[in-house]
Structures are given as structure tokens and as C-alpha cells.
Amino acid sequence: MIILITGASHTGKTVLAQRLLEKYKYPYLSIDHLKMGLIRSGNTDLTPGDDAELTEYLWPIVREIIKTAIENKQNLIVEGCYVPFDWRNSFDEQYLPSIRFICLAMSDEYIISHFEDIKAHGSDIENRLDDSDCTVEEVMKDNQQIINGYKSYEEKITLITDNYVDSIRGILN
């Protein structure tokens, strides 16, 4: 089984991946780690801020890792924001039953009323060296883009509207 976790920035994708690792003992691949390895090694001229280009660059690699894991009957959690909205089009029908897709997003109301908590938990698993671009407006914009993009492909979104812990607990059960 592949558990593919994506969503907006600061929604807890990495925390969820860690909890699933602890529950199922599946290894997990952070697309952010792959990104930074390729950037720091000089294998790309892209920068951490080149989101659209990074999705285009990283997704073919991640897609083939997922296919290889499925073909070898291996479990894997793949987590990150560089998953295209039309990700299902990257897989033949034989692969899709082995992929559990999870997309996290927060409502505007949740972001406004919980922004200080969102920002405070930004480095729960990975240390964010520079989180200065994390503003209410940017988080809301990012979440709306994720919601609209995945909904346009009829993907299910776990929308955090009230209680974050209960929303994540619902995924873990």
C-alpha cells in the first residue's frame, strides 16, 4: 500500500506521515527531502521557492518510486506538496488500487481563528529555517489553491474546519 499525502503548506502533512509511520511501521519518503537533496547537490538550478517548476521536476521521479514500490509489493508513505492535481493520470489502472490518497487543507475560518497555533506548529517535525512568508493571507491563498485544484479533479480533501486533532484522528482510524 502507498499512502500519498499532500496538501497545503502548514497543514501537518509531515506530522501525519510521522504518525502513520508510527502506526503502520511503513517507511516514508519526504518529497521535501528529495527536493533539497537535488537542489543542494547541484542536480538542478531550481530553488525551494520554484513550486510549480519543482512539481514538474520532482513528480516524474516520485511517480516512478511509487510504481516501483507497488510492483515490489512494498508499503510506502510519500508526503509532500509537489503532487500534481491530476496525479491519477500518471498511473495505469493496475496501480491506483494500491494508492491511498490523502489531501489536507484548512478552511479560511480555521486559518483565521487558529493562525498562531498553525505557525507555532510549523516546525513540529522538520525545522523551518525561514518561515517569514507564513502569513494569514499566504496560508489562506495556498489552501484555496489546493482545495480548488484537487476538487477540479474530484479528489477527496480532508478539510480542517474546527478541531485539528479530530480531523487527523479521523484519518488515522
Side-chain angles (χ1 to χ4, degrees):
M1 172 61 63
I2 304 300
I3 302 175
L4 179 59
I5 304 169
T6 194
S9 179
H10 289 79
T11 55
K13 298 178 297 294
T14 308
V15 170
L16 177 59
Q18 181 67 34
R19 300 294 177 265
L20 290 168
L21 175 145
E22 293 165 2
K23 179 176 182 172
Y24 294 113
K25 310 296 186 230
Y26 292 179
Y28 92 82
L29 168 68
S30 166
I31 302 173
D32 280 340
H33 290 176
L34 177 62
K35 167 190 78 175
M36 292 310 297
L38 291 165
I39 290 171
R40 288 179 173 176
S41 66
N43 282 292
T44 180
D45 292 328
L46 295 172
T47 69
D50 295 328
D51 286 341
E53 296 88 349
L54 281 164
T55 299
E56 205 173 298
Y57 181 71
L58 294 169
W59 181 246
I61 298 166
V62 172
R63 175 192 68 217
E64 296 308 316
I65 291 170
I66 291 170
K67 286 179 182 179
T68 301
I70 292 170
E71 290 162 358
N72 287 293
K73 298 179 178 33
Q74 295 169 321
N75 299 314
L76 181 64
I77 299 164
V78 178
E79 170 270 319
C81 60
Y82 303 103
V83 177
F85 300 134
D86 66 344
W87 70 271
R88 288 182 189 272
N89 294 337
S90 298
F91 298 98
D92 295 334
E93 287 300 317
Q94 71 192 51
Y95 295 101
L96 290 173
S98 298
I99 303 172
R100 178 180 175 199
F101 178 76
I102 300 170
C103 179
L104 300 177
M106 298 178 285
S107 69
D108 286 349
E109 295 78 15
Y110 182 87
I111 294 165
I112 292 166
S113 61
H114 295 88
F115 183 70
E116 292 307 316
D117 291 332
I118 293 165
K119 193 144 172 118
H121 289 283
S123 293
D124 280 359
I125 301 292
E126 294 177 337
N127 188 24
R128 294 178 188 267
L129 298 177
D130 179 12
D131 207 18
S132 59
D133 61 342
C134 181
T135 64
V136 170
E137 296 77 20
E138 281 303 310
V139 173
M140 287 175 27
K141 178 181 161 191
D142 188 31
N143 276 268
Q144 281 306 310
Q145 181 181 9
I146 292 298
I147 292 165
N148 294 337
Y150 285 112
K151 276 192 175 182
S152 72
Y153 285 92
E154 300 179 3
E155 294 292 350
K156 181 182 175 200
I157 298 166
T158 298
L159 186 63
I160 301 158
T161 59
D162 183 36
N163 188 307
Y164 183 86
V165 173
D166 287 346
S167 298
I168 298 304
R169 189 177 294 131
I171 295 169
L172 292 171
N173 293 332

